[in-house]
Amino acid sequence: MARGEGAEQYTATLLATTVKPMKTEIKAVKSKEQRRDTQKLSLWSKLCYAIGGAPYQITGSALGFFLQIYLLDVAQLDPSYASIILFVGRAWDAITDPTVGFLVSRSKWTGIGRMMPWILCSTPFAVLTYLLIWYVPPFEEGKVIWYLVFYCLFQSMLTCFHVPYSALTMFISSDQKERDSATAYRMTVEVLGTVLGTAIQGQIVGGVSSCPTEPENSNSTNITMNTTIISLEDTKRAYLLASGVICIIYVVCAAVLFFGVKEQKESGCKTSTPPLTFRQGLWVIMSHGPYVKLVIGFLFTSLGFMLLEGNFALFITHALGHRKDFQNILLVIMVSGTLTIPWWQWFLTRFGKKTATYCGMLWAVPFMILIVSIQSHLVISYLVSVAAGVSVAAAFLLPWSMLPDVVDDFKVQNPDVHGHEALFYSFYVFFIKFASGLSLGISTLSLKFAGYVTGECSQPEAVSLTLKVLVSPVPIVLIVVGLLVIVTYPINEERRKGNRKLLEDLLDSNSETSELGSSV
């Protein structure tokens, strides 16, 4: 009996020491498989996430292509005042980016996430201030202050939307492939957003003109003057109508993002390390070499494309003489860019992101030279626009596709630092916006020195020459300088895949440790 009882006790002990660990291991494996399944994003989630990026690009394309010509020819501000509004507005926008990024990084998790409250609360204020930018007030004295205040307020509200939205990339999935796929969807929708913004603003505004045709009768001076006044009022109403349509789309896109995307809590090991202060966050991020090189490189390339974008409407109107077709030419560029986004996504997956950057940025250079070298011809202008759209697509996709790689590289080298994602995105946007504001201010001021006459349909030859310089030689130099900096960017495909493997192993290790701890 004693021997039988001893055998039974031995068997029970053996089962306890073998079966229980096996169950724990099976449970951990199942948990890891389930976690990997949850990292997969559905097509619906990717589309809803992508749609959330449209408001930034719709309003950005409308402001980028049309605000300068609106301030000069519709609001009829002096070019020096217009340059102040454009520069101060962009500079203020740049300052708010790291500030909002820091505040977002210190935000606590709520029932709807950490990023979503910012997106939700900023939307109504952004819509209101955007509408007021395109309203011409019935007074002259404070008109400059009016546009400056509402432009700055709108940029602040848009920052409160876009910085959390950009950082949301890191919280929709911890799988790098899923994030890259979602980014490709986002870039496609954002380029569609630029198409939509350009189409709405261009087609509605393009339907009216403040430049009447020349009268056949020399005695019809009064008729011409009255036509100009009536046409200017029609143009004002057209800009306001376009802004109203864009505001409706803004609200719809924000609602789709809010209801269609589930923000995930940051996974990984928890730490008792206190959050970084603003100064510490700035120092840590700006000490990360790959991030600095990426930001500087795309600072120059983005500056080149923004300079082209900001002056292209005026260039088409006054240098090429396609006043009635400028909105269609802009639309062709955006449509071409939208159609080539999937191709660039395939290209960067097949040949690597750095190679895609070189090819994408340099593709536009010959066409930028061609557009200012030949005599104005409408068909050639359209052909150049189609080709230029290919580079616009690359300029949209590549920076936002490479930023998550820098964040992952930082995580590998600094595993104990958490809550920094928003800072990476906000400081990148800060430098881009500040530089673009400076470029737009200087370019608008250059038009004043060239003799630009506000509200006039015919401009001096010096204005045409200045616009040619602003859309071709200067952007080309900036693009080349940016690519030379990106050559030194150290995260190649091998390092990127290595970082991904290390982060996956770290995540699996933390998950298994958590499971074993809970089983004990």
Side-chain angles (χ1 to χ4, degrees), residues 35 174 265-273 411-412 414-421 502-514:
R35 180 176 55 77
S174 57
K265 281 190 176 182
E266 184 180 13
S267 57
C269 58
K270 302 298 180 184
T271 178
S272 59
T273 306
K411 283 183 176 180
V412 169
N414 303 272
D416 296 328
V417 180
H418 298 275
H420 55 275
E421 293 84 0
L502 288 173
L503 289 174
E504 287 180 349
D505 292 344
L506 179 63
L507 201 59
D508 293 342
S509 174
N510 291 331
S511 178
E512 291 173 4
T513 302
S514 176

Side-chain angles (χ1 to χ4, degrees), residues 285-286 288-303 353-354 357-358 361 397-409 424-425 427-429 431-432 481-492:
I285 290 174
M286 299 311 296
H288 191 58
Y291 177 73
V292 174
K293 292 176 180 177
L294 185 72
V295 168
I296 294 176
F298 280 121
L299 172 67
F300 283 100
T301 58
S302 299
L303 189 54
K353 296 181 180 181
K354 287 184 69 174
T357 301
Y358 304 144
M361 301 300 175
L397 175 64
L398 291 166
W400 297 108
S401 179
M402 296 170 76
L403 271 173
D405 300 337
V406 175
V407 177
D408 285 344
D409 189 76
F424 275 99
Y425 288 91
F427 278 111
Y428 168 75
V429 177
F431 290 113
I432 298 299
V481 171
L483 292 178
L484 290 176
V485 176
I486 292 176
V487 169
T488 65
Y489 174 68
I491 302 179
N492 52 22

Side-chain angles (χ1 to χ4, degrees), residues 149-268:
V149 168
F150 285 112
Y151 187 38
C152 290
L153 286 176
F154 169 71
Q155 295 290 7
S156 299
M157 294 301 102
L158 188 63
T159 297
C160 290
F161 181 100
H162 188 63
V163 168
Y165 172 75
S166 299
L168 189 63
T169 308
M170 306 302 297
F171 296 96
I172 56 175
S173 175
S174 57
D175 188 285
Q176 191 182 77
K177 282 187 175 180
E178 291 299 302
R179 292 202 307 262
D180 284 345
S181 176
T183 299
Y185 278 90
R186 170 190 167 188
M187 292 301 109
T188 302
V189 172
E190 287 195 355
V191 175
L192 281 172
T194 63
V195 172
L196 196 58
T198 305
I200 292 171
Q201 195 85 7
Q203 297 304 314
I204 293 177
V205 172
V208 294
S209 174
S210 58
C211 290
T213 56
E214 289 294 325
E216 296 179 3
N217 191 344
S218 59
N219 295 325
S220 58
T221 306
N222 293 332
I223 298 176
T224 303
M225 186 177 299
N226 292 333
T227 305
T228 303
I229 294 172
I230 294 172
S231 184
L232 181 59
E233 292 301 319
D234 290 340
T235 304
K236 291 178 182 179
R237 285 193 290 269
Y239 272 101
L240 197 58
L241 174 62
S243 66
V245 175
I246 288 175
C247 286
I248 293 173
I249 297 173
Y250 192 118
V251 174
V252 171
C253 291
V256 170
L257 174 66
F258 177 73
F259 290 108
V261 176
K262 181 177 176 59
E263 183 179 346
Q264 300 178 9
K265 281 190 176 182
E266 184 180 13
S267 57

